[in-house]
Amino acid sequence: MSYSTLHDIELVDLDSDEYKSPLTSLLNNVQHRRSTSESAPSLGNYNTPSVPYDVGYPFLVHFGLVLSLVVGVVFIGIGGVIFAISPLFNIPSDLVTYVPAWSPGKERNITIPLNYYVNVALGLVLSFLVMVCTEATGYVHGTTLKWGLAKEGRLEFNANLRLFSATKGIFSVNGPIVNILFLISIVLSYAASASVLFRFNIYEDGTDTLENRPSFWNTKKIVQSYSIISFLPVIILGTALTLQAVLGLIAYHKTRVPTWSSSPLDVSSALVYHGYIQRRHDRCMRSAARTDHSTDTPVQPSSRQPKPWACHKSVPRVVYLVWTTAALFLALPWTYKFIPKISGYISWDGPTWNGLAPPLAVLEGSLIVGVVQALITISLHCSELVTTLARDEEVWRAATTAKGAQPCGNPLKVLLGSWQTCGLVLWKPVLHWIYGLSLSLEIASGLVLSTVSLALGPGIIMVALFVTYIANLRPPGPQPAAYGNVQVLVDLVDEWLMIMYWGHKSAKLRGLRLRRVCHAGTSSGLLPPVEMDAVYA
């Protein structure tokens, strides 16, 4: 038997009715296939998208960048106004008793009588505002990084650790320097937002001195609360947000982005359409855990798919990092006993400012708060990788449902449609807010570690449990798990459509023993389930 005959036998379709008489029909069809093999389309021809992919919503990108830029400039302006008008403000008369040396004009502060709980609520609102701005600029940074990596042929997953992944060139728009600037600006954004409103509390004994202040474990009742706004944290916050917006704008204009959609289907389709990725044949049943290029042998479907832990090398590191962070912050409430003084201005429990809150002390305190907060920021950023992998897998697994897998260019819809990513994004500002209440700056006492810090460790443990749970989930069913691995998705999708369904498509005979090998792929309509006792390629 010649090689050409073997090749033609491989194209035989065993699912057609004419193969009910196996031997006779097979021989007849070998001759028929031999005469039409040149015109028969290969599976690779289906890989080029026949319909345009969703380019996303660029106006949302524009809105996010403009919003971040405007908010940043407004905060810089507010800081400048506070610096200019603070000499016009007089210290409230009931504060003179406690801080007679305090001169808000000299130190460029303004004092507002504000209820303690209103102060705390405003801190939460400010944390959410910072989250919106950083997420908007971060989306631009992450998307441009994705396509920068694609251009270099180094894009593996739709989701990336954007602060720890970089394109070639140290000064490129998505290079290491820009990533460092983004990380510093994000940390400063949350740290400064927690320092914008200093608190000065008068307790039930009518004092706010070290000897009469409430102890760490026994909080006395607050009878009067003031908020002191220093110009420096406001300017730092505005500068950090403005820097992120500017870096996002530069990346936006310097990077060619075919689609702003965050859907792995849109991204994979665009990668194929623009020639960044080519489909590998005979891999219709290989998941993201089987990405080796060395073999294309047929495999049997699995009733359960591998977990994210086994499909992305960074997932175990992320889980270990979050648990380490949780352990460190569980120990935070006890550190005040062992570190009585940090510097000339800052201490855990002493009135080292003498009620003055000089700008240098405010800057020093904000930096200390920021350094500690950086660990939370990095842990939450890395946790997003795990939730995004789960979100991308949900998008792909919809191909076996009645609704089908539908590309979606609206990033807000994709975000709100995933309970994993939505939950983490909403919890992020709350955790930063709790940290701001735990380790904060007060006018009379400098750096204060409060009883709220007892809730910080459990709050991070919730993130650790959440991430660990998602990282170890194994999707049910034979549909290969991709987790947004763009090459795997391109291998699994043999017809690119606006609504795709995945399942069994055909069966063929292969090799000298005429082994029955099936093929699974995508279609515009519902497909039959795959055969669990068959092999697929």
Side-chain angles (χ1 to χ4, degrees):
M1 185 177 292
S2 66
Y3 172 79
S4 60
T5 306
L6 284 176
H7 177 72
D8 292 334
I9 290 176
E10 184 179 342
L11 297 175
V12 172
D13 191 345
L14 293 182
D15 288 340
S16 61
D17 294 336
E18 54 189 314
Y19 285 96
K20 293 181 179 178
S21 177
L23 183 59
T24 304
S25 299
L26 176 61
L27 294 175
N28 291 338
N29 263 273
V30 166
Q31 183 63 34
H32 172 71
R33 291 294 186 185
R34 186 177 294 173
S35 62
T36 60
S37 60
E38 292 183 357
S39 60
S42 67
L43 293 177
N45 292 339
Y46 298 142
N47 193 49
T48 302
S50 58
V51 294
Y53 52 84
D54 195 328
V55 297
Y57 287 72
F59 77 90
L60 286 178
V61 175
H62 301 157
F63 177 79
L65 288 174
V66 171
L67 174 66
S68 301
L69 185 61
V70 169
V71 171
V73 171
V74 166
F75 273 112
I76 293 175
I78 292 175
V81 170
I82 293 173
F83 183 86
I85 69 173
S86 57
L88 304 177
F89 280 74
N90 295 319
I91 183 172
S93 58
D94 54 349
L95 292 185
V96 176
T97 305
Y98 308 109
V99 281
W102 183 20
S103 174
K106 179 183 176 181
E107 307 300 347
R108 302 297 178 177
N109 305 321
I110 61 174
T111 308
I112 304 173
L114 198 63
N115 181 275
Y116 174 80
Y117 297 102
V118 175
N119 182 301
V120 171
L122 287 176
L124 181 59
V125 171
L126 195 56
S127 185
F128 267 94
L129 178 61
V130 170
M131 181 271 291
V132 170
C133 293
T134 55
E135 289 296 318
T137 54
Y139 185 78
V140 177
H141 180 222
T143 303
T144 54
L145 170 65
K146 183 190 308 179
W147 289 102
L149 293 173
K151 184 178 180 180
E152 297 174 355
R154 298 194 296 123
L155 181 65
E156 186 176 1
F157 284 85
N158 182 47
N160 299 282
L161 291 172
R162 64 180 180 88
L163 297 179
F164 301 98
S165 303
T167 54
K168 296 177 181 177
I170 190 171
F171 294 108
S172 64
V173 293
N174 289 115
I177 297 298
V178 172
N179 286 356
I180 292 173
L181 290 176
F182 256 109
L183 176 59
I184 293 174
S185 62
I186 292 172
V187 172
L188 286 179
S189 297
Y190 282 107
S193 67
S195 306
V196 166
L197 296 173
F198 293 103
R199 290 185 293 274
F200 187 93
N201 302 321
I202 300 175
Y203 297 92
E204 57 187 353
D205 60 0
T207 60
D208 193 18
T209 62
L210 176 60
E211 291 76 16
N212 296 296
R213 289 192 90 240
S215 67
F216 180 80
W217 302 106
N218 302 297
T219 303
K220 297 180 181 179
K221 182 180 179 182
I222 298 172
V223 296
Q224 179 63 49
S225 181
Y226 287 90
S227 293
I228 294 87
I229 306 176
S230 175
F231 78 97
L232 195 55
V234 180
I235 290 181
I236 292 175
L237 175 58
T239 303
L241 294 178
T242 303
L243 176 60
Q244 293 176 61
V246 170
L247 292 175
L249 283 169
I250 294 173
Y252 177 86
H253 286 288
K254 292 290 186 179
T255 308
R256 179 175 176 265
V257 177
T259 174
W260 288 98
S261 170
S262 59
S263 168
L265 299 178
D266 284 323
V267 172
S268 300
S269 177
L271 287 168
V272 174
Y273 191 84
H274 291 276
Y276 290 115
I277 291 181
Q278 293 183 348
R279 184 172 184 269
R280 301 174 300 183
H281 298 282
D282 300 331
R283 303 182 69 88
C284 71
M285 201 56 68
R286 294 187 177 272
S287 68
R290 303 167 118 177
T291 56
D292 56 290
H293 298 259
S294 59
T295 178
D296 56 2
T297 54
V299 294
Q300 194 168 353
S302 175
S303 60
R304 211 162 183 84
Q305 297 305 306
K307 53 192 176 182
W309 186 289
C311 296
H312 198 298
K313 61 183 180 182
S314 296
V315 171
R317 303 170 190 170
V318 170
V319 174
Y320 296 145
L321 172 64
V322 180
W323 277 108
T324 302
T325 304
L328 291 174
F329 279 92
L330 276 175
L332 180 64
W334 311 96
T335 57
Y336 81 104
K337 292 184 177 181
F338 307 104
I339 313 177
K341 196 170 186 179
I342 297 178
S343 71
Y345 285 115
I346 305 301
S347 72
W348 295 106
D349 54 4
T352 56
W353 287 5
N354 295 321
L356 295 177
L360 182 60
V362 173
L363 177 61
E364 187 179 350
S366 298
L367 289 178
I368 292 173
V369 171
V371 168
V372 180
Q373 195 166 15
L375 190 55
I376 297 179
T377 303
I378 293 173
S379 297
L380 290 174
H381 165 70
C382 294
S383 298
E384 290 178 0
L385 172 69
V386 181
T387 58
T388 306
L389 291 175
R391 179 204 70 188
D392 288 348
E393 182 60 17
E394 283 187 349
V395 173
W396 163 237
R397 301 199 79 75
T400 54
T401 65
K403 185 176 69 172
Q406 304 179 38
C408 178
N410 188 337
L412 292 178
K413 185 176 180 180
V414 174
L415 170 65
L416 297 175
S418 169
W419 63 270
Q420 298 97 328
T421 53
C422 190
L424 183 62
V425 167
L426 292 177
W427 185 241
K428 185 189 302 185
V430 174
L431 203 56
H432 282 291
W433 172 67
I434 294 174
Y435 173 79
L437 296 177
S438 303
L439 190 61
S440 59
L441 299 173
E442 290 193 8
I443 285 296
S445 304
L447 192 63
V448 174
L449 184 64
S450 74
T451 52
V452 181
S453 60
L454 295 171
L456 191 57
I460 302 176
I461 286 180
M462 290 176 61
V463 177
L465 290 171
F466 182 62
V467 170
T468 304
Y469 170 73
I470 295 175
N472 288 278
L473 276 180
R474 296 187 63 187
Q479 182 183 5
Y483 296 110
N485 186 308
V486 290
Q487 181 63 70
V488 171
L489 279 173
V490 170
D491 295 341
L492 297 176
V493 176
D494 58 0
E495 292 186 71
W496 290 99
L497 304 158
M498 292 306 294
I499 300 179
M500 292 184 291
Y501 297 88
W502 182 90
H504 174 89
K505 295 188 77 172
S506 63
K508 301 174 175 60
L509 292 179
R510 286 191 175 187
L512 294 173
R513 298 183 179 179
L514 300 181
R515 185 185 184 189
R516 184 176 184 270
V517 178
C518 301
H519 173 71
T522 52
S523 175
S524 59
L526 285 169
L527 292 169
V530 299
E531 302 174 10
M532 298 303 295
D533 57 346
V535 291
Y536 283 78

